[in-house]
Amino acid sequence: MAENGAQKCAPWRVETLSARDAGNVMSGGSIAGSGAVAAALCEAMETKDGRVLGVMAAGASGQAPLLAGYLWLARLPFDAEIQALGVVPDYRGRGVGDALVRAACEAAGHWQSERLLLEVRAGNAAAIALYKRHGFGVDGRRRDYYPPLSPAAGSGREDALLMSRAFGAQAASR
């Protein structure tokens, strides 16, 4: 990451969000499907063992920038973990998620993490493809982990895939 907390991931600029960005996170209801609670994201912005990365999109003329996507990254003793990632529907498929995952990998490498961990709904093909493009592999599965996405989806729960990407010596041994 650049020293100022921002990184350029063409065409999106990824920055570390702070308390001054809380309003953008709290109003990001359209990315609530990521499973992250806005209050928890705001709390994560203030911890030393994590970071919330965000991509801001230009607002309409004269308006403040809008949150296009975010990634909540936690620093663990030997690893780092993506806690949540959300992209506003209008910005999906435009490289926002790619820029956020790339920045998370760089941050985990900077922290000298051995691995970057995450879990994802087994049915989220777009997210799984994104993570695989960034070198993540499937390590396991949690059966019936996630509740249905909507009441209309029925009572069936969905599996979670556990994925990771190794860094340094760990990556060489895979």
Side-chain angles (χ1 to χ4, degrees):
M1 288 246 161
E3 285 185 41
N4 66 0
Q7 176 189 15
K8 182 73 173 169
C9 293
W12 301 106
R13 181 173 178 231
V14 177
E15 57 188 82
T16 299
L17 302 180
S18 66
R20 68 177 159 66
D21 301 302
N24 279 317
V25 171
M26 296 301 277
S27 66
S30 58
I31 53 178
S34 70
V37 176
L41 288 174
C42 290
E43 185 177 313
M45 289 179 201
E46 301 301 320
T47 69
K48 67 180 178 80
D49 291 327
R51 139 180 333 172
V52 178
L53 303 173
V55 169
M56 304 304 285
S61 180
Q63 292 186 342
L66 305 169
L67 184 67
Y70 72 90
L71 185 145
W72 174 6
L73 185 66
R75 186 176 187 178
L76 307 172
F78 299 100
D79 299 320
E81 184 173 7
I82 295 174
Q83 299 286 314
L85 179 134
V87 177
V88 172
D90 288 349
Y91 291 94
R92 290 181 185 157
R94 295 174 52 190
V96 173
D98 186 70
L100 288 164
V101 172
R102 181 177 296 119
C105 290
E106 289 181 15
H110 177 75
W111 288 339
Q112 298 181 344
S113 299
E114 292 177 8
R115 296 176 305 159
L116 181 53
L117 312 169
L118 62 89
E119 63 185 39
V120 60
R121 283 182 181 269
N124 191 341
I128 293 165
L130 168 68
Y131 297 133
K132 285 184 175 183
R133 281 195 309 272
H134 284 276
F136 287 81
V138 176
D139 299 327
R141 177 181 293 262
R142 287 190 177 130
R143 298 263 179 228
D144 299 328
Y145 182 75
Y146 287 108
L149 284 171
S150 70
S155 61
R157 297 181 66 84
E158 189 171 357
D159 292 354
L161 294 183
L162 306 174
M163 300 181 78
S164 69
R165 175 186 164 172
F167 294 96
Q170 294 287 332
S173 67
R174 272 193 153 187

mmCIF file of all heavy atoms in Angstrom, residues 70-103:
data_model
loop_
_atom_site.group_PDB
_atom_site.id
_atom_site.type_symbol
_atom_site.label_atom_id
_atom_site.label_comp_id
_atom_site.label_asym_id
_atom_site.label_seq_id
_atom_site.Cartn_x
_atom_site.Cartn_y
_atom_site.Cartn_z
ATOM 1 N N TYR A 70 -16.279 -2.378 -0.683
ATOM 2 C CA TYR A 70 -15.395 -2.410 0.487
ATOM 3 C C TYR A 70 -14.923 -3.832 0.738
ATOM 4 O O TYR A 70 -15.528 -4.808 0.253
ATOM 5 C CB TYR A 70 -16.113 -1.888 1.735
ATOM 6 C CG TYR A 70 -17.143 -2.863 2.233
ATOM 7 C CD1 TYR A 70 -16.802 -3.833 3.164
ATOM 8 C CD2 TYR A 70 -18.426 -2.861 1.722
ATOM 9 C CE1 TYR A 70 -17.730 -4.769 3.563
ATOM 10 C CE2 TYR A 70 -19.349 -3.790 2.118
ATOM 11 C CZ TYR A 70 -18.997 -4.746 3.042
ATOM 12 O OH TYR A 70 -19.909 -5.688 3.428
ATOM 13 N N LEU A 71 -13.854 -3.956 1.482
ATOM 14 C CA LEU A 71 -13.334 -5.237 1.934
ATOM 15 C C LEU A 71 -12.863 -5.065 3.364
ATOM 16 O O LEU A 71 -12.104 -4.143 3.657
ATOM 17 C CB LEU A 71 -12.178 -5.690 1.040
ATOM 18 C CG LEU A 71 -11.618 -7.070 1.317
ATOM 19 C CD1 LEU A 71 -11.185 -7.738 0.017
ATOM 20 C CD2 LEU A 71 -10.462 -7.026 2.286
ATOM 21 N N TRP A 72 -13.333 -5.925 4.249
ATOM 22 C CA TRP A 72 -12.963 -5.903 5.661
ATOM 23 C C TRP A 72 -11.892 -6.959 5.846
ATOM 24 O O TRP A 72 -12.117 -8.139 5.625
ATOM 25 C CB TRP A 72 -14.192 -6.189 6.491
ATOM 26 C CG TRP A 72 -14.023 -6.345 7.962
ATOM 27 C CD1 TRP A 72 -12.896 -6.162 8.706
ATOM 28 C CD2 TRP A 72 -15.043 -6.713 8.891
ATOM 29 N NE1 TRP A 72 -13.153 -6.393 10.038
ATOM 30 C CE2 TRP A 72 -14.462 -6.743 10.168
ATOM 31 C CE3 TRP A 72 -16.381 -7.035 8.756
ATOM 32 C CZ2 TRP A 72 -15.182 -7.075 11.308
ATOM 33 C CZ3 TRP A 72 -17.099 -7.368 9.888
ATOM 34 C CH2 TRP A 72 -16.501 -7.373 11.148
ATOM 35 N N LEU A 73 -10.686 -6.529 6.245
ATOM 36 C CA LEU A 73 -9.526 -7.393 6.397
ATOM 37 C C LEU A 73 -9.097 -7.416 7.855
ATOM 38 O O LEU A 73 -8.904 -6.363 8.459
ATOM 39 C CB LEU A 73 -8.386 -6.868 5.513
ATOM 40 C CG LEU A 73 -7.111 -7.689 5.435
ATOM 41 C CD1 LEU A 73 -7.381 -9.034 4.761
ATOM 42 C CD2 LEU A 73 -6.049 -6.914 4.649
ATOM 43 N N ALA A 74 -8.959 -8.616 8.422
ATOM 44 C CA ALA A 74 -8.531 -8.764 9.815
ATOM 45 C C ALA A 74 -7.125 -9.354 9.851
ATOM 46 O O ALA A 74 -6.806 -10.276 9.093
ATOM 47 C CB ALA A 74 -9.488 -9.670 10.578
ATOM 48 N N ARG A 75 -6.314 -8.826 10.750
ATOM 49 C CA ARG A 75 -4.957 -9.340 10.955
ATOM 50 C C ARG A 75 -4.986 -10.307 12.134
ATOM 51 O O ARG A 75 -5.392 -9.948 13.237
ATOM 52 C CB ARG A 75 -4.022 -8.171 11.247
ATOM 53 C CG ARG A 75 -2.582 -8.560 11.334
ATOM 54 C CD ARG A 75 -1.738 -7.325 11.536
ATOM 55 N NE ARG A 75 -0.345 -7.648 11.464
ATOM 56 C CZ ARG A 75 0.630 -6.764 11.557
ATOM 57 N NH1 ARG A 75 0.334 -5.479 11.730
ATOM 58 N NH2 ARG A 75 1.870 -7.124 11.481
ATOM 59 N N LEU A 76 -4.553 -11.537 11.878
ATOM 60 C CA LEU A 76 -4.493 -12.588 12.882
ATOM 61 C C LEU A 76 -3.030 -12.821 13.260
ATOM 62 O O LEU A 76 -2.140 -12.284 12.601
ATOM 63 C CB LEU A 76 -5.135 -13.864 12.328
ATOM 64 C CG LEU A 76 -6.555 -13.699 11.765
ATOM 65 C CD1 LEU A 76 -7.019 -14.975 11.070
ATOM 66 C CD2 LEU A 76 -7.512 -13.268 12.851
ATOM 67 N N PRO A 77 -2.732 -13.629 14.273
ATOM 68 C CA PRO A 77 -1.330 -13.815 14.673
ATOM 69 C C PRO A 77 -0.393 -14.247 13.543
ATOM 70 O O PRO A 77 0.696 -13.715 13.418
ATOM 71 C CB PRO A 77 -1.410 -14.877 15.765
ATOM 72 C CG PRO A 77 -2.742 -14.641 16.389
ATOM 73 C CD PRO A 77 -3.645 -14.271 15.234
ATOM 74 N N PHE A 78 -0.801 -15.188 12.687
ATOM 75 C CA PHE A 78 0.072 -15.628 11.597
ATOM 76 C C PHE A 78 -0.543 -15.431 10.222
ATOM 77 O O PHE A 78 0.143 -15.544 9.218
ATOM 78 C CB PHE A 78 0.442 -17.113 11.775
ATOM 79 C CG PHE A 78 1.182 -17.371 13.045
ATOM 80 C CD1 PHE A 78 0.518 -17.891 14.144
ATOM 81 C CD2 PHE A 78 2.530 -17.069 13.168
ATOM 82 C CE1 PHE A 78 1.191 -18.115 15.335
ATOM 83 C CE2 PHE A 78 3.206 -17.286 14.350
ATOM 84 C CZ PHE A 78 2.539 -17.814 15.445
ATOM 85 N N ASP A 79 -1.819 -15.198 10.188
ATOM 86 C CA ASP A 79 -2.556 -15.090 8.942
ATOM 87 C C ASP A 79 -3.320 -13.774 8.895
ATOM 88 O O ASP A 79 -3.312 -13.004 9.849
ATOM 89 C CB ASP A 79 -3.579 -16.241 8.823
ATOM 90 C CG ASP A 79 -2.933 -17.618 8.829
ATOM 91 O OD1 ASP A 79 -1.861 -17.774 8.198
ATOM 92 O OD2 ASP A 79 -3.504 -18.533 9.443
ATOM 93 N N ALA A 80 -3.969 -13.547 7.788
ATOM 94 C CA ALA A 80 -4.938 -12.452 7.647
ATOM 95 C C ALA A 80 -6.210 -13.101 7.106
ATOM 96 O O ALA A 80 -6.162 -14.182 6.514
ATOM 97 C CB ALA A 80 -4.422 -11.390 6.688
ATOM 98 N N GLU A 81 -7.356 -12.444 7.325
ATOM 99 C CA GLU A 81 -8.615 -13.026 6.882
ATOM 100 C C GLU A 81 -9.527 -11.959 6.304
ATOM 101 O O GLU A 81 -9.719 -10.906 6.908
ATOM 102 C CB GLU A 81 -9.327 -13.722 8.042
ATOM 103 C CG GLU A 81 -10.589 -14.423 7.630
ATOM 104 C CD GLU A 81 -11.206 -15.256 8.741
ATOM 105 O OE1 GLU A 81 -10.731 -15.203 9.885
ATOM 106 O OE2 GLU A 81 -12.179 -15.962 8.440
ATOM 107 N N ILE A 82 -10.097 -12.255 5.151
ATOM 108 C CA ILE A 82 -11.123 -11.395 4.571
ATOM 109 C C ILE A 82 -12.418 -11.730 5.296
ATOM 110 O O ILE A 82 -12.934 -12.837 5.172
ATOM 111 C CB ILE A 82 -11.255 -11.615 3.047
ATOM 112 C CG1 ILE A 82 -9.962 -11.193 2.340
ATOM 113 C CG2 ILE A 82 -12.463 -10.841 2.501
ATOM 114 C CD1 ILE A 82 -9.932 -11.498 0.850
ATOM 115 N N GLN A 83 -12.917 -10.772 6.063
ATOM 116 C CA GLN A 83 -14.137 -10.968 6.836
ATOM 117 C C GLN A 83 -15.383 -10.745 5.986
ATOM 118 O O GLN A 83 -16.386 -11.417 6.183
ATOM 119 C CB GLN A 83 -14.171 -10.004 8.031
ATOM 120 C CG GLN A 83 -13.028 -10.201 9.007
ATOM 121 C CD GLN A 83 -13.217 -11.446 9.844
ATOM 122 O OE1 GLN A 83 -14.291 -11.691 10.362
ATOM 123 N NE2 GLN A 83 -12.169 -12.234 9.956
ATOM 124 N N ALA A 84 -15.318 -9.779 5.086
ATOM 125 C CA ALA A 84 -16.465 -9.468 4.219
ATOM 126 C C ALA A 84 -15.975 -8.656 3.029
ATOM 127 O O ALA A 84 -14.985 -7.924 3.122
ATOM 128 C CB ALA A 84 -17.519 -8.675 4.991
ATOM 129 N N LEU A 85 -16.677 -8.815 1.927
ATOM 130 C CA LEU A 85 -16.419 -8.034 0.726
ATOM 131 C C LEU A 85 -17.777 -7.732 0.112
ATOM 132 O O LEU A 85 -18.617 -8.630 0.013
ATOM 133 C CB LEU A 85 -15.555 -8.838 -0.261
ATOM 134 C CG LEU A 85 -15.250 -8.111 -1.565
ATOM 135 C CD1 LEU A 85 -13.777 -8.240 -1.904
ATOM 136 C CD2 LEU A 85 -16.085 -8.654 -2.685
ATOM 137 N N GLY A 86 -17.993 -6.487 -0.232
ATOM 138 C CA GLY A 86 -19.255 -6.104 -0.857
ATOM 139 C C GLY A 86 -19.025 -5.084 -1.951
ATOM 140 O O GLY A 86 -18.191 -4.199 -1.806
ATOM 141 N N VAL A 87 -19.737 -5.240 -3.049
ATOM 142 C CA VAL A 87 -19.671 -4.298 -4.164
ATOM 143 C C VAL A 87 -21.101 -3.889 -4.507
ATOM 144 O O VAL A 87 -21.980 -4.736 -4.644
ATOM 145 C CB VAL A 87 -18.967 -4.917 -5.395
ATOM 146 C CG1 VAL A 87 -18.971 -3.948 -6.573
ATOM 147 C CG2 VAL A 87 -17.535 -5.335 -5.049
ATOM 148 N N VAL A 88 -21.334 -2.594 -4.617
ATOM 149 C CA VAL A 88 -22.650 -2.072 -4.998
ATOM 150 C C VAL A 88 -23.033 -2.692 -6.346
ATOM 151 O O VAL A 88 -22.200 -2.756 -7.259
ATOM 152 C CB VAL A 88 -22.603 -0.526 -5.088
ATOM 153 C CG1 VAL A 88 -23.885 0.033 -5.662
ATOM 154 C CG2 VAL A 88 -22.311 0.075 -3.729
ATOM 155 N N PRO A 89 -24.262 -3.169 -6.476
ATOM 156 C CA PRO A 89 -24.667 -3.845 -7.723
ATOM 157 C C PRO A 89 -24.313 -3.092 -9.002
ATOM 158 O O PRO A 89 -23.878 -3.715 -9.976
ATOM 159 C CB PRO A 89 -26.180 -4.005 -7.559
ATOM 160 C CG PRO A 89 -26.360 -4.143 -6.081
ATOM 161 C CD PRO A 89 -25.339 -3.187 -5.474
ATOM 162 N N ASP A 90 -24.455 -1.772 -9.037
ATOM 163 C CA ASP A 90 -24.139 -1.003 -10.253
ATOM 164 C C ASP A 90 -22.662 -1.071 -10.627
ATOM 165 O O ASP A 90 -22.298 -0.740 -11.759
ATOM 166 C CB ASP A 90 -24.529 0.467 -10.085
ATOM 167 C CG ASP A 90 -26.030 0.682 -10.106
ATOM 168 O OD1 ASP A 90 -26.770 -0.261 -10.463
ATOM 169 O OD2 ASP A 90 -26.465 1.792 -9.741
ATOM 170 N N TYR A 91 -21.791 -1.479 -9.704
ATOM 171 C CA TYR A 91 -20.352 -1.520 -9.958
ATOM 172 C C TYR A 91 -19.815 -2.938 -10.108
ATOM 173 O O TYR A 91 -18.620 -3.124 -10.322
ATOM 174 C CB TYR A 91 -19.597 -0.773 -8.851
ATOM 175 C CG TYR A 91 -19.852 0.703 -8.922
ATOM 176 C CD1 TYR A 91 -20.853 1.290 -8.160
ATOM 177 C CD2 TYR A 91 -19.116 1.510 -9.777
ATOM 178 C CE1 TYR A 91 -21.115 2.648 -8.244
ATOM 179 C CE2 TYR A 91 -19.374 2.870 -9.870
ATOM 180 C CZ TYR A 91 -20.368 3.427 -9.100
ATOM 181 O OH TYR A 91 -20.635 4.773 -9.194
ATOM 182 N N ARG A 92 -20.676 -3.940 -10.010
ATOM 183 C CA ARG A 92 -20.229 -5.327 -10.157
ATOM 184 C C ARG A 92 -19.818 -5.590 -11.591
ATOM 185 O O ARG A 92 -20.390 -5.063 -12.530
ATOM 186 C CB ARG A 92 -21.333 -6.285 -9.719
ATOM 187 C CG ARG A 92 -21.534 -6.222 -8.230
ATOM 188 C CD ARG A 92 -22.593 -7.177 -7.731
ATOM 189 N NE ARG A 92 -22.783 -6.948 -6.290
ATOM 190 C CZ ARG A 92 -23.869 -7.256 -5.636
ATOM 191 N NH1 ARG A 92 -24.888 -7.825 -6.259
ATOM 192 N NH2 ARG A 92 -23.953 -7.014 -4.349
ATOM 193 N N GLY A 93 -18.778 -6.406 -11.749
ATOM 194 C CA GLY A 93 -18.280 -6.743 -13.077
ATOM 195 C C GLY A 93 -17.424 -5.658 -13.696
ATOM 196 O O GLY A 93 -17.093 -5.737 -14.877
ATOM 197 N N ARG A 94 -17.042 -4.653 -12.903
ATOM 198 C CA ARG A 94 -16.260 -3.532 -13.428
ATOM 199 C C ARG A 94 -14.878 -3.434 -12.790
ATOM 200 O O ARG A 94 -14.205 -2.410 -12.917
ATOM 201 C CB ARG A 94 -17.042 -2.233 -13.232
ATOM 202 C CG ARG A 94 -18.332 -2.238 -14.059
ATOM 203 C CD ARG A 94 -19.241 -1.066 -13.828
ATOM 204 N NE ARG A 94 -18.588 0.209 -13.957
ATOM 205 C CZ ARG A 94 -19.135 1.368 -13.612
ATOM 206 N NH1 ARG A 94 -20.368 1.394 -13.144
ATOM 207 N NH2 ARG A 94 -18.487 2.497 -13.730
ATOM 208 N N GLY A 95 -14.448 -4.476 -12.060
ATOM 209 C CA GLY A 95 -13.100 -4.498 -11.513
ATOM 210 C C GLY A 95 -12.961 -4.002 -10.088
ATOM 211 O O GLY A 95 -11.858 -3.967 -9.561
ATOM 212 N N VAL A 96 -14.054 -3.616 -9.453
ATOM 213 C CA VAL A 96 -13.982 -3.113 -8.072
ATOM 214 C C VAL A 96 -13.537 -4.232 -7.134
ATOM 215 O O VAL A 96 -12.615 -4.064 -6.336
ATOM 216 C CB VAL A 96 -15.324 -2.507 -7.618
ATOM 217 C CG1 VAL A 96 -15.306 -2.153 -6.136
ATOM 218 C CG2 VAL A 96 -15.648 -1.267 -8.447
ATOM 219 N N GLY A 97 -14.176 -5.389 -7.223
ATOM 220 C CA GLY A 97 -13.801 -6.519 -6.375
ATOM 221 C C GLY A 97 -12.371 -6.949 -6.624
ATOM 222 O O GLY A 97 -11.628 -7.255 -5.684
ATOM 223 N N ASP A 98 -11.962 -6.959 -7.890
ATOM 224 C CA ASP A 98 -10.589 -7.315 -8.245
ATOM 225 C C ASP A 98 -9.588 -6.371 -7.573
ATOM 226 O O ASP A 98 -8.592 -6.818 -6.993
ATOM 227 C CB ASP A 98 -10.430 -7.270 -9.764
ATOM 228 C CG ASP A 98 -9.082 -7.764 -10.211
ATOM 229 O OD1 ASP A 98 -8.835 -8.976 -10.102
ATOM 230 O OD2 ASP A 98 -8.276 -6.926 -10.674
ATOM 231 N N ALA A 99 -9.857 -5.073 -7.641
ATOM 232 C CA ALA A 99 -8.970 -4.090 -7.026
ATOM 233 C C ALA A 99 -8.904 -4.290 -5.512
ATOM 234 O O ALA A 99 -7.827 -4.194 -4.902
ATOM 235 C CB ALA A 99 -9.440 -2.677 -7.351
ATOM 236 N N LEU A 100 -10.042 -4.590 -4.889
ATOM 237 C CA LEU A 100 -10.075 -4.783 -3.435
ATOM 238 C C LEU A 100 -9.309 -6.040 -3.016
ATOM 239 O O LEU A 100 -8.535 -6.007 -2.048
ATOM 240 C CB LEU A 100 -11.517 -4.855 -2.946
ATOM 241 C CG LEU A 100 -12.278 -3.525 -2.974
ATOM 242 C CD1 LEU A 100 -13.780 -3.758 -2.864
ATOM 243 C CD2 LEU A 100 -11.783 -2.604 -1.867
ATOM 244 N N VAL A 101 -9.487 -7.142 -3.736
ATOM 245 C CA VAL A 101 -8.775 -8.381 -3.388
ATOM 246 C C VAL A 101 -7.277 -8.205 -3.615
ATOM 247 O O VAL A 101 -6.456 -8.649 -2.800
ATOM 248 C CB VAL A 101 -9.345 -9.594 -4.163
ATOM 249 C CG1 VAL A 101 -8.478 -10.836 -3.939
ATOM 250 C CG2 VAL A 101 -10.778 -9.857 -3.739
ATOM 251 N N ARG A 102 -6.896 -7.533 -4.683
ATOM 252 C CA ARG A 102 -5.471 -7.276 -4.935
ATOM 253 C C ARG A 102 -4.874 -6.460 -3.778
ATOM 254 O O ARG A 102 -3.796 -6.777 -3.274
ATOM 255 C CB ARG A 102 -5.285 -6.525 -6.256
ATOM 256 C CG ARG A 102 -3.812 -6.250 -6.582
ATOM 257 C CD ARG A 102 -3.620 -5.557 -7.926
ATOM 258 N NE ARG A 102 -4.075 -6.434 -8.991
ATOM 259 C CZ ARG A 102 -5.067 -6.153 -9.834
ATOM 260 N NH1 ARG A 102 -5.708 -4.996 -9.743
ATOM 261 N NH2 ARG A 102 -5.415 -6.988 -10.778
ATOM 262 N N ALA A 103 -5.584 -5.444 -3.342
ATOM 263 C CA ALA A 103 -5.091 -4.610 -2.232
ATOM 264 C C ALA A 103 -5.026 -5.417 -0.933
ATOM 265 O O ALA A 103 -4.094 -5.239 -0.133
ATOM 266 C CB ALA A 103 -5.992 -3.387 -2.060
#
